[in-house]
């Protein structure tokens, strides 16, 4: 007797968000990227549509990433002092789909770089690569609020993905996105209710922004509560597929940022002989974290190590192979 | 719970006047308003205002659809009027309603099949409204069987267990709740359930309070839809809250607004 395969049919799908803008669309990118649009759970091609591949963004900083472990720095050679060259290498050699530019140098405790300094770096990077850009501030709210407007204005029409809007601090980022035609990362602290509420708050400022929001559910690294991130993402996906318009956005995860601050990625083997070679271990940590998040429905992975990026892109190739029957 | 907005009904004076004078203003205002408050369907009932129910139904459907993208729930005991409405519906509609009476079921399910419409089936027959849950469920089963015989998916059938005013048929309350639960066991997938919400409060003093308490109690017993006042703010808030407590929607601080704005 033939086995009948049960297939779920969902009434809705994840919103599709376009990142970047070509010349015709008011920007200067050579390509744009579409994320989202799934009408089923991750990679169940037999059940629904998975029209767009998950994409990998590689992180580029405006300052030399002193705190990165040596094996991570070594992977980039001599470009880490030059954000434009660094970005170009990520795209040309390592296959990054996008660049995530982080203005670490704007931190008052680092270089206290001004909005003008950041804009100069941004323009160099925009010129060096043709892929869409994600832009992060330094993580200090007051400073980020001061620089995000000018940065948004300087890149008007590029449809950058601007980070990050939070429940208590979303207006500056959302305003910059609204005024200068960019998209927004809406970040919530591993909390589905806040994720939904934040999307409502942003859409109350401007309804069309609903189609330009990417959710950052805040992910954790492997071993640090990734299962919480996973279940939040899974719940958001079920919500989206069942018609919850306020949770139906694509998702982004700061994989590199989370993983490379954890001891498993930088403690040398002589300190923890049972853990194995640090270089190999750190790569595995970033890759496995990213793989788990792909399975949870992550659309944009922000990563660091070129080898891990390579592995994940292979993994995405495999997962995107049609398994419908 | 899906709210089937009840306001476009010729029993209301403004709608009766609109039908008589062929002036769509009031109809379209109510269509828009109910849609903006989160109704999922618009009930369309020509009421007692006119003798030519067929053309009145057709006209109401046409003008309502100009103002709203919601599907329509065609409410009449005159099946020719319903068929006239179905002919002009731009998307699958709901037929309101058919009792468990054979020749009526034959006509209605045939129409439903032809127009891909959903059907509200009443748990009553020639003998009237049953007193207990068992008899209601037995009639529901007849509706399920007839629906299935016409090849219509059971999930397109909404069973109305029939509610009596709580000041008249108080003993029907628990029977209705029991019926709502048992209907879900009739088939897999089960039929859906619907009530005419305001029936529960006919002739009582604080109708809105009784309506919304009944709504959330019935939801807890599995109610899927109600023909109700889609502009009653307190009812909408109660339904939105019950959906949160039943884990049907994901909580956020603005959940009532989200429920209201679902059609935007």
């Amino acid at each position: 007797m033939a086995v009948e395969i049960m297939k779920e049919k969902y009434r809705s799908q994840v919103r599709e968000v376009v990142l970047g803008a070509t010349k015709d669309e008011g920007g200067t990118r050579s390509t744009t990227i579409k994320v989202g649009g799934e009408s089923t759970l991750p990679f169940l091609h037999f059940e629904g549509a998975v029209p767009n591949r998950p994409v990998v963004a590689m992180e580029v900083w405006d300052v030399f990433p002193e705190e990165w472990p040596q094996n991570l720095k070594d992977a980039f050679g001599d470009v880490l002092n030059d954000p434009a060259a660094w970005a170009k290498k990520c795209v040309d050699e390592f296959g990054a789909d996008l660049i995530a530019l982080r203005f670490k140098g704007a931190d008052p405790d680092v270089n206290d770089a001004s909005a003008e300094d950041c804009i100069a770096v941004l323009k160099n990077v925009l010129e060096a690569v043709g892929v869409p850009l994600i832009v992060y501030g330094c993580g200090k709210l007051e400073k980020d609020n001061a620089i995000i407007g000018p940065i948004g204005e300087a890149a008007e029409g590029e449809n950058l993905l601007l980070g990050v809007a939070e429940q208590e601090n979303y207006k500056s980022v959302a305003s910059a996105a609204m005024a200068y035609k960019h998209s927004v990362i809406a970040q919530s602290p591993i909390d589905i209710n806040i994720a939904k509420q934040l999307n409502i708050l942003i859409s109350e400022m401007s309804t069309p922004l609903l189609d330009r929001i990417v959710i950052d559910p805040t992910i954790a690294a492997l071993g640090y509560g990734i299962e919480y991130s996973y279940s939040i993402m899974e719940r958001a996906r079920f919500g989206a597929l069942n018609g919850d318009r306020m949770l139906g956005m694509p998702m982004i995860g700061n994989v590199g940022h989370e993983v490379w601050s954890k001891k498993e990625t930088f403690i040398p083997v002589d300190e923890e002989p049972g853990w194995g070679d640090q270089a190999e271990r750190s790569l595995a940590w970033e890759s496995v974290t990213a793989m788990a998040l792909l399975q949870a429905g992550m659309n944009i992975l922000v990563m660091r190590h070129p080898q891990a990026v390579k592995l994940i892109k292979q993994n995405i190739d495999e997962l995107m192979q049609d398994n419908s029957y | 719970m899906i709210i089937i907005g009840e306001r476009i009904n010729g029993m209301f004076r403004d709608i009766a006047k609109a039908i008589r004078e062929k002036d769509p203003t009031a109809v379209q205002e109510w269509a828009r308003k109910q849609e903006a408050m989160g109704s999922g369907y618009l009930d369309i009932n020509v009421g007692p205002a006119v003798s030519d129910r067929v053309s009145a139904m057709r006209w109401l459907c046409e003008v309502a659809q100009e103002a709203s993208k919601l599907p329509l729930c065609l409410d009449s005991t005159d099946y020719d009027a319903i068929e006239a409405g179905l002919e002009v519906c731009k998307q699958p509609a709901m037929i309101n309603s058919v009792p468990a009476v054979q020749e009526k079921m034959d006509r209605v399910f045939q129409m439903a099949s032809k127009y891909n419409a959903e059907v509200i089936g009443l748990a009553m027959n020639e003998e009237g409204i049953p007193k207990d849950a068992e008899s209601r469920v037995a009639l529901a089963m007849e509706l399920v069987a007839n629906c299935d015989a016409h090849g219509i998916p059971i999930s397109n059938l909404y069973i109305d267990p029939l509610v009596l005013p709580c000041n008249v048929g108080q003993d029907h309350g628990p029977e209705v709740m029991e019926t709502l639960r048992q209907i879900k066991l009739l088939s897999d997938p089960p039929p859906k359930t619907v009530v005419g919400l305001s029936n529960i409060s006919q002739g009582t003093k604080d109708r809105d309070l009784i309506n919304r308490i009944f709504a959330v109690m019935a939801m807890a017993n599995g109610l899927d839809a109600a023909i109700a006042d889609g502009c009653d703010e307190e009812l909408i808030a109660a339904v939105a809250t019950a959906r949160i407590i039943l884990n049907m929607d994901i909580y956020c601080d603005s959940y009532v607004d989200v429920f209201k704005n679902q059609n935007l």
Side-chain angles (χ1 to χ4, degrees):
Chain A
M1 201 175 99
V3 177
E4 192 193 343
I5 307 289
M6 300 305 286
K7 294 181 187 177
E8 245 356 289
K9 199 161 163 45
Y10 297 103
R11 44 185 277 241
S12 193
Q13 65 270 323
V14 178
R15 288 171 193 269
E16 215 165 55
V17 173
V18 179
L19 305 175
T22 60
K23 210 168 163 208
D24 293 344
E25 296 156 345
T28 63
R29 305 297 79 207
S30 51
T31 52
T32 58
I33 283 178
K34 246 190 229 170
V35 289
E38 304 92 324
S39 59
T40 179
L41 292 174
F43 312 114
L44 303 187
H45 305 276
F46 61 90
E47 207 170 70
V50 187
N52 303 302
R53 294 168 55 93
V55 291
V56 179
M58 287 184 76
E59 239 179 275
V60 170
W61 290 15
D62 63 335
V63 290
F64 183 81
E66 198 58 59
E67 66 205 67
W68 287 12
Q70 198 54 45
N71 72 309
L72 179 55
K73 287 189 276 205
D74 288 347
F76 291 89
D78 56 1
V79 295
L80 296 179
N81 273 310
D82 178 352
W86 181 354
K88 192 165 165 44
K89 192 164 190 172
C90 286
V91 175
D92 295 349
E93 278 185 40
F94 305 141
D97 299 307
L98 313 84
I99 293 298
L101 183 55
R102 192 183 291 280
F103 288 113
K104 192 81 173 173
D107 188 329
D109 298 329
V110 181
N111 288 346
D112 201 15
S114 65
E116 289 70 37
D117 300 334
C118 296
I119 290 167
V121 172
L122 173 66
K123 295 222 153 152
N124 286 339
V125 173
L126 280 169
E127 218 159 277
V129 297
V131 299
L133 257 57
I134 302 166
V135 170
Y136 286 107
C138 63
K140 304 259 168 79
L141 291 187
E142 210 168 308
K143 184 62 185 283
D144 285 349
N145 284 339
I147 61 174
I148 197 71
I151 287 174
E153 186 177 6
E156 178 162 11
E158 290 284 8
N159 192 12
L160 305 172
L161 181 54
L162 295 178
V164 294
E166 298 174 82
Q167 190 180 23
E168 302 305 332
N169 188 60
Y170 63 93
K171 287 188 177 152
S172 54
V173 174
S175 307
M178 209 161 76
Y180 308 116
K181 303 191 184 71
H182 301 298
S183 300
V184 182
I185 298 173
Q187 191 182 66
S188 41
I190 318 193
D191 185 317
I192 189 104
N193 309 126
I194 293 176
K196 186 169 173 179
Q197 185 68 19
L198 179 56
N199 293 336
I200 295 164
L201 293 171
I202 293 171
S203 70
E204 279 170 358
M205 286 180 71
S206 158
T207 314
L209 274 184
L210 270 179
D211 290 313
R212 303 216 301 270
I213 294 175
V214 174
I215 295 175
D216 180 349
T218 306
I219 57 102
L222 177 66
Y224 291 82
I226 196 172
E227 55 275 33
Y228 293 102
S229 313
Y230 193 106
S231 61
I232 292 285
M233 292 174 66
E234 190 180 44
R235 191 129 186 262
R237 271 296 167 270
F238 275 124
L241 296 175
N242 286 312
D244 192 332
R245 302 166 60 249
M246 291 298 167
L247 278 171
M249 292 75 177
M251 291 188 273
I252 186 170
N254 247 313
V255 179
H257 173 80
E258 286 300 324
V259 166
W260 289 94
S261 59
K262 301 299 176 283
K263 61 182 186 295
E264 285 81 356
T265 55
F266 59 78
I267 299 276
V269 65
D270 48 4
E271 278 181 40
E272 284 286 356
W275 288 8
D277 176 58
Q278 175 265 336
E280 197 182 326
R281 178 193 338 131
S282 57
L283 272 181
W285 220 267
E286 185 172 26
S287 307
V288 173
T289 300
M291 280 177 190
L293 294 169
L294 280 174
Q295 295 292 344
M298 193 62 86
N299 302 88
I300 308 171
L301 298 154
V302 183
M303 298 181 63
R304 288 187 179 166
H305 201 294
Q307 282 296 113
V309 168
K310 194 176 166 200
L311 268 175
I312 287 303
K313 293 199 68 152
Q314 278 171 9
N315 187 222
I316 293 172
D317 284 341
E318 287 158 14
L319 291 168
M320 285 303 290
Q321 278 174 26
D322 190 7
N323 58 7
S324 57
Y325 45 83
Chain B
M1 187 182 82
I2 302 163
I3 292 176
I4 302 169
E6 69 187 4
R7 192 52 180 73
I8 302 176
N9 187 320
M11 267 174 17
F12 292 102
R13 236 174 281 158
D14 55 347
I15 302 296
K17 187 161 173 271
I19 296 170
R20 271 198 309 273
E21 296 172 7
K22 285 274 165 100
D23 175 1
T25 315
V27 177
Q28 295 184 334
E29 256 171 35
W30 282 113
R32 274 189 286 266
K33 200 168 165 196
Q34 293 181 108
E35 181 173 5
M37 297 274 291
S39 285
Y41 289 77
L42 298 175
D43 194 72
I44 304 285
N45 186 324
V46 299
V50 285
S51 50
D52 185 0
R53 286 182 293 212
V54 170
S55 63
M57 179 64 97
R58 189 181 297 125
W59 179 79
L60 274 180
C61 291
E62 281 167 353
V63 298
Q65 289 181 106
E66 284 167 16
S68 163
K69 60 175 171 28
L70 292 183
L72 305 181
C73 176
L74 309 176
D75 185 355
S76 181
T77 48
D78 180 339
Y79 296 139
D80 292 334
I82 285 185
E83 183 139 25
L86 288 170
E87 277 168 6
V88 297
C89 280
K90 292 176 186 159
Q91 55 184 321
M94 191 184 279
I95 298 173
N96 182 11
S97 56
V98 63
V101 172
Q102 196 58 51
E103 70 266 18
K104 292 187 176 175
M105 289 193 287
D106 290 345
R107 167 93 198 258
V108 167
F109 285 120
Q110 216 162 23
M111 276 200 295
S113 170
K114 182 173 171 194
Y115 296 96
N116 191 23
E118 296 173 307
V119 175
I120 294 179
L122 307 178
M124 66 178 287
N125 58 12
E126 297 89 338
E127 290 161 32
I129 300 176
K131 228 178 142 31
D132 57 19
E134 283 69 36
S135 322
R136 282 177 163 93
V137 172
L139 293 172
M141 194 61 222
E142 280 185 41
L143 290 156
V144 167
N146 276 271
C147 179
D148 191 45
H150 283 84
I152 298 166
I154 301 301
S155 52
N156 282 5
L157 176 63
Y158 286 73
I159 306 275
D160 183 345
L162 291 169
V163 178
L164 265 65
C166 67
N167 59 349
V168 175
Q170 232 178 321
D171 51 339
H172 281 257
E175 302 299 327
V176 166
M177 296 297 164
E178 180 60 25
T179 309
L180 288 173
R181 285 194 294 272
Q182 287 193 21
I183 284 172
K184 291 296 175 189
L185 308 174
L186 286 180
S187 63
D188 183 18
K192 298 202 171 99
T193 50
V194 63
V195 296
L197 193 66
S198 55
N199 287 354
I200 193 78
S201 64
Q202 294 274 4
T204 63
K205 193 157 166 274
D206 197 345
R207 296 199 61 180
D208 292 345
L209 174 66
I210 293 172
N211 290 346
R212 71 177 175 269
I213 298 293
F214 175 51
V216 298
M217 288 179 73
M219 283 175 77
N221 284 289
L223 182 68
D224 296 297
I227 302 160
D229 178 358
C231 298
D232 177 347
E233 295 267 1
E234 301 243 31
L235 172 67
I236 308 287
V239 169
T241 306
R243 288 184 61 88
I244 295 291
I245 291 171
L246 292 168
N247 194 25
M248 297 165 86
D249 289 327
I250 293 173
Y251 174 83
C252 69
D253 292 344
S254 305
Y255 70 87
V256 176
D257 291 333
V258 173
F259 181 79
K260 272 196 224 166
N261 293 334
Q262 61 185 307
N263 296 322
L264 290 185

